[in-house]
Amino acid sequence: MSGESTYVPKNAVAKWFESRLPVLGLAHSSFVVFPNPRNLNYWWTFGGILAFLLVSQIITGVVLAMHYTPESTLAFDSVERIMRDVNFGWLMRYWHANGASMFFIGLYVHILRGMYYGSYKAPREVLWLLGFIIYLLSMATAFMGYVLPWGQMSFWGATVITSLFSAIPVVGDAITTWLWGGYSVDNATLNRFFALHYLLPFMIVGVVGLHIWALHVPGSNNPIGIEPKSAKDTLPFHPYFTVKDGFALTLFLIFYAWFVFYIPNYLGHADNYIEANPLVTPPHIVPEWYYLPFYAILRSVPSKLGGFLAMFGAVLIVAVLPWLDSSKVKSAVYRPLFRIFFWIFVVDAVLLGYIGSQPPEGGAVIAGRLLTAYYFIHFLVILPLLSRFEPTRPLPASISDAVLGDSAKAEPALASH
Amino acid sequence: MAATTTLEEPTRRDFLYIATAAVGIVGAGAAVWPLISQMSPDASTLAAGSVEVDISGIAVGQILTVKWRGKPIFVSHRTPEEIAAVRAVPMNELKDPATDQSRVEKPEWLVVIGICTHLGCVPLGNEGPYHGFFCPCHGSVYDPSGRIRQGPAPANLVVPPYKFVSDAKISIG
Ligand code: HEM
Ligand code: FES
């Protein structure tokens, strides 16, 4: 499906360059003439939004690093200086801090889009795995970034999450001490987290490159989940999808700007404006919203090692989705039962997030356990059974048949989508 | 083409190949170890030895928090009732069985690292059902001997190495 390189350099300089490094041709075939299924909907615009946000995080991050001091006695003050004294420092910091949340909104929409339309299935398993690696790296990056302002939540979040490794039998404590570079989260920890927080986004850029490469081998999946069969099923990337992606990006950025300018601390925690104090734990510590479902799973298991395994298991299980769901029909549009269970799963995950934000008492504990059990049941029982026994609806003959309505075989139910 | 398959040439190349691989593996190992080891606590952290604490001012029932190796240490001046209560507990009721006697130097003084053995929060003193310690993070409950009684923590609060320098002073570390 990769676009044939029809690029013809228009001037002498381009021609000279192209014959030495054919990168213009690569860009042309990947982002100008690249054939996309003509029926892509707005859920397909989040890939572009994520790419934009990644660049935006790197730019604001490098700017913040010019004013930030990764030293435990100075870090908190340096962030306050960024907020009060540095020209537009407040903007850079709010842009970066809220950008992390926007990045995770984008990631979750993008991942759920893939789950709903079966984008993880053959021939896109490697593409899915690369996306999963991006997700892991992003979680590590955001976790370490949140430690940098060295507030109470920074410190205690770092303590609780790194202490998770002490649950590993025998070597756990040694690993934790090694991660800390001391006997508690301290200056050595802050320093290395800063170095890694700077490094990891560039590694994400590298994996994004592979992700796009793996995407451009089979091309994009689409809402009806059947592969393009003829030129009639596709449209060139430019102008059709550049404008669609650009429009969606603009709307998304307005949403983002609303957070930055009107409610910049809405997704944060007031406790993080208190400098880290290793002798006092805040009464209610919670991680950033994007980790809450996994935090709820951690707390639902009444054993230290068990909680550790359940939490990492809940993240890792997403990677093996292509092998848990073997249904040949990709899109939920043609899988009536899968579609219902998909939405139940989404509700389960959102409720887990809510439970993760609440103190672990009474009803919240029991609800957390039930929701945790269902989370795993969805992946390990429901999906494998559905892919064997679910009666699926007949697929249209082709994308153009389904969306252009120029054939008696057009799928009428699609009108509702 | 076919003329290149003689016995002598591959032998010489094999030797170089194996020698290169052997030196390469040793070299990689020698480079990786320092790269991993540099992340462990450095000499100054290891040397951050002991602290002396004056305990004469701690009233009965009071808990003093001091800092040692970046961690809070609780020095608790226990009441006679607390001592009697923790010593009366049968071992089979404990998740991490240990007698109170094995955890203190002198009955009225409990010295423990104030870090919850679950995920590292600092528990609150004189709190919880046993009036020992309560961890607000995920609800672990310890008794006045610092032993885990309820909640997700797997082990008792750790007793640091310490000794009485005099009746009024302890040295931790
Ligand atoms: C995927 C990309 C990135 C994500 C998700 C991310 C996330 C975060 C988060 C959540 C914070 C804490 C914000 C706060 O509450 O104050 C933070 C802080 C910070 N980040 Fe990043 N970051 C990314 C890339 C970068 C890059 C490339 C740099 C370059 C050096 C950087 C430098 C910093 C600095 C210096 C801070 C501390 C200042 C502050 O707290 O505002 N970040 N980051
Ligand atoms: S850290 Fe104390 S209960 Fe989890």
Side-chain angles (χ1 to χ4, degrees), chain A residues 10-32:
Chain A
K10 290 209 177 63
N11 61 55
V13 177
K15 206 167 166 183
W16 178 88
F17 193 83
E18 186 68 5
S19 64
R20 283 159 180 79
L21 181 67
V23 73
L24 296 170
L26 180 67
H28 182 83
S29 63
S30 308
F31 303 109
V32 180

Side-chain angles (χ1 to χ4, degrees), chain A residues 14 50 81 89 151 156 206 234 236 241 309 331 363:
Chain A
L50 284 165
R81 191 156 19 80
W156 291 103
T234 63
F241 297 96
L309 294 175
S331 170

Side-chain angles (χ1 to χ4, degrees), chain A residues 160, chain B residues 115-123 135-142 151-153:
Chain A
V160 167
Chain B
I115 289 191
C116 181
T117 57
H118 182 225
L119 296 175
C121 293
V122 178
C135 181
C137 286
H138 317 98
S140 289
V141 175
Y142 301 86

Side-chain angles (χ1 to χ4, degrees), chain A residues 54 57-58 61-62 64-65 68 79 82 93 96-97 100 103-104 138 141-142 145-146 148-149 194 197-198 201-202 204 272 288 290:
Chain A
L54 180 59
Q57 285 303 91
I58 289 178
V62 170
L64 287 169
Y68 171 78
V79 172
I82 291 172
R93 174 155 185 260
H96 193 78
F103 196 70
F104 278 91
S138 307
T141 304
Y146 193 61
L148 302 184
F194 177 61
H197 184 68
Y198 209 133
F202 294 92
I204 296 177
N272 223 27
E288 291 289 88
Y290 32 85

